[in-house]
Amino acid sequence: MTAAAEVLAELRALRAGDLPTHGARTLAYVYDSGLSGVDELAAEAHALAAHANGLDPTAFPSLLRLENELVATTAELVGGTEHTVGAVTSGGTESCLLAVLAARTGAPEVREPAMVLPETAHAAFHKAAHFFGVRAVPVPVDPVTFRADPAAMAAAMDERTVLVVASAPSYAHGVLDPIAEIAAAAAARGIRMHVDACIGGWVLPHLGVPPFGFDVPGVTSVSVDLHKYAYCPKGVSVLLHAGAELRRGHYFASADWPGYTMLNTTVQSTRSGGPLAAAWAVVRHIGADGYRRLALDARAAAEEIAAGIGKIDGLRVLGAPDSTLVALALDGTPGFDLFTVADEMSARNWYVQPQFAHGVSPSNLHLTLSAANRGHEREFLADLESAVTVARAAGPVEVDPRVLEFVAALDPEGLTSEQFAGLLAAAGLGDGGAVPARMAEVNTLLAAAPPRLRERLLLEFLGQLHH
Ligand SMILES: *Cc1c(COP(=O)(O)O)cnc(C)c1O
């Protein structure tokens, strides 16, 4: 046996090489309430239930109770009624997957089911399309506001449409789609309408934005992540439905084997009680007032940072963010490179997330602001300004234009794994999965790659990372 202390020391050493999850300098992937004691509470609650199995709610009634309470709290936040029901899932992607699955299963008469979604909808819906054989019909968004275009969405709906999707807000630009108009168009055709409030569900209700949940006629399901702005440890999201009959399509039973009759509400069968108990404890501890303050703090940080970005020469904010997410882009052609700015921010211990151009959206850097950013906006803006100054002095990233042309013209279908390995090496990603400290050149190459090629390249890279 290895001593527990030694094992933990090893784990701590490994974790020290990661991006920090607290301190609000990692502006994607993680959420920091800035409150003390919340993590400790979550860890204790997690430990209390980690070995309990949500597979059988009659065997572990405590988990059923926790789940029902989380569903009720979430429903209340997003306009739920006495008919609203739900399920706790492992995350936003699972919630979105199940919304699509339920819609497809609920329309067995539709032979080639399709889903109409704004091109800004989360990639989780493309994953759902891929998993469940539903055709994704992406609809261009407004090129200035980046909001879904209700008329274009309505025009894209037809007899094959089993689900319409909108975001509250979108991840990439943090803007709220015109939910009411889209939901009305879906309802007029008798089509289900899912509102993806994975990242906004716990924030927007405190910001005085237009209704986006079940209080909007036509909305049939809503996804809300607890491991984002409810500041719970990872592994918890809620999928809500306007009525129990809408949920049935993602329930699963199998009596077709000699073991227990398998009954599942979600993708998982054995389900740890840990994430659920941790989320329940954090939500109960912070409470409605606490969340209101955290939401207002995160929003204030986002507003101050967005306003500051607008004052930096050469930068602008995409759209008018409605929540706590900001996308910053180049203003005109200022002669520097955003990917270099991202590298310079890394050198200043900030993680900002590059987003490649797509549809009407230019390349940009994404910021997820949380409550802990409040009061530290100036630190961020000062470092951003100095990062831009350095990037400007460095000039645009130099990648041989012939290489860019070559990459842009490649057809991923015709390439072998060896050719991909060669490409990755040429891109600076070939070293057995090591990532270079400066990513600007790599990002410039990836940005030049058409989406299908970029997907394949990065999947080959992922395959190198995982043994
Ligand atoms: C984060 C997010 C998702 C996916 O959630 P995961 O928890 O990462 O699986 C879906 N939609 C939106 C809008 C999100 O922000």
Side-chain angles (χ1 to χ4, degrees):
M1 284 198 1
T2 310
E6 195 180 319
V7 174
L8 281 175
E10 204 178 311
L11 182 56
R12 281 196 192 92
L14 286 171
R15 289 276 297 112
D18 294 342
L19 287 174
T21 58
H22 290 72
R25 297 183 79 93
T26 305
L27 300 182
Y29 309 123
V30 301
Y31 302 79
D32 186 0
S33 70
L35 299 174
S36 59
V38 171
D39 281 4
E40 292 75 5
L41 169 65
E44 272 200 46
H46 192 288
L48 271 172
H51 294 277
N53 194 341
L55 168 58
D56 184 349
T58 63
F60 299 95
S62 72
L63 300 188
L64 177 62
R65 167 87 179 259
L66 302 185
E67 175 158 357
N68 281 337
E69 290 193 14
L70 274 185
V71 165
T73 306
T74 310
E76 199 179 322
L77 208 54
V78 297
T81 68
E82 75 271 23
H83 302 297
T84 308
V85 297
V88 168
T89 72
S90 63
T93 297
E94 189 181 357
S95 291
C96 298
L97 287 174
L98 294 178
V100 176
L101 177 63
R104 194 201 68 177
T105 314
E109 72 286 0
V110 179
R111 278 183 156 261
E112 289 170 8
M115 154 174 55
V116 171
L117 70 176
E119 61 184 1
T120 49
H122 195 279
F125 293 96
H126 296 283
K127 185 172 186 176
H130 172 67
F131 274 18
F132 303 133
V134 175
R135 190 166 50 93
V137 182
V139 177
V141 299
D142 184 283
V144 176
T145 64
F146 299 99
R147 294 200 172 95
D149 174 346
M153 297 273 298
M157 300 174 199
D158 63 21
E159 58 290 336
R160 289 180 182 167
T161 313
V162 296
L163 185 68
V164 174
V165 174
S167 314
S170 60
Y171 178 85
H173 307 98
V175 299
L176 179 60
D177 286 332
I179 305 292
E181 289 165 85
I182 299 167
R189 285 183 160 269
I191 303 170
R192 294 187 193 209
M193 161 88 183
H194 180 78
V195 174
D196 181 7
C198 277
I199 204 157
W202 223 268
V203 174
L204 292 177
H206 303 291
L207 302 186
V209 300
F212 61 88
F214 295 106
D215 38 359
V216 177
V219 170
T220 57
S221 57
V222 180
S223 49
V224 181
D225 290 351
L226 296 179
H227 61 203
K228 287 177 181 162
Y229 285 100
Y231 299 102
C232 300
K234 299 281 185 269
V236 189
S237 169
V238 174
L239 172 62
L240 299 167
H241 298 276
E245 72 290 352
L246 296 166
R247 182 178 59 181
R248 198 90 75 223
H250 68 71
Y251 272 18
F252 180 79
S254 181
D256 245 342
W257 73 309
Y260 54 87
T261 301
M262 197 168 83
L263 294 174
N264 297 153
T265 57
T266 65
V267 172
Q268 291 179 302
S269 192
T270 284
R271 281 207 289 169
S272 170
L276 172 68
W280 179 87
V282 170
V283 165
R284 215 165 123 56
H285 174 63
I286 294 179
D289 289 350
Y291 279 116
R292 187 181 151 71
R293 228 207 54 226
L294 292 173
L296 294 177
D297 278 353
R299 172 64 183 167
E303 281 183 324
E304 191 170 330
I305 284 174
I309 288 166
K311 289 187 193 124
I312 297 175
D313 191 29
L315 294 185
R316 68 186 171 113
V317 170
L318 295 181
D322 290 306
S323 189
T324 52
L325 316 169
V326 175
L328 68 94
L330 295 180
D331 190 16
T333 34
F336 63 90
D337 198 286
L338 272 185
F339 300 133
T340 307
V341 174
D343 284 342
E344 288 300 323
M345 288 303 277
S346 295
R348 289 161 181 75
N349 296 318
W350 294 96
Y351 179 80
V352 299
Q353 188 177 49
Q355 299 188 132
F356 297 116
H358 181 270
V360 295
S361 183
S363 285
N364 64 85
L365 301 177
H366 170 100
L367 316 175
T368 291
L369 287 322
S370 53
N373 286 103
R374 186 70 185 135
H376 302 283
E377 298 87 346
R378 284 183 187 184
E379 281 163 55
F380 174 82
L381 289 168
D383 280 339
L384 182 61
E385 199 162 3
S386 98
V388 166
T389 304
V390 173
R392 201 187 293 277
V397 174
E398 300 278 351
V399 177
D400 187 337
R402 279 167 311 182
V403 173
L404 290 181
E405 240 169 73
F406 172 73
V407 166
L410 277 177
D411 173 13
E413 299 300 325
L415 293 178
T416 64
S417 284
E418 288 72 37
Q419 287 169 313
F420 271 110
L423 264 177
L424 282 172
L429 291 174
D431 198 8
V435 179
R438 296 190 69 89
M439 287 290 291
E441 282 76 13
V442 175
N443 281 328
T444 303
L445 265 179
L446 289 173
R452 292 298 83 75
L453 176 61
R454 196 188 309 144
E455 288 164 358
R456 269 297 299 276
L457 265 176
L458 290 174
L459 282 181
E460 295 286 337
F461 176 61
L462 195 67
Q464 289 187 6
L465 292 182
H466 291 271
H467 299 174

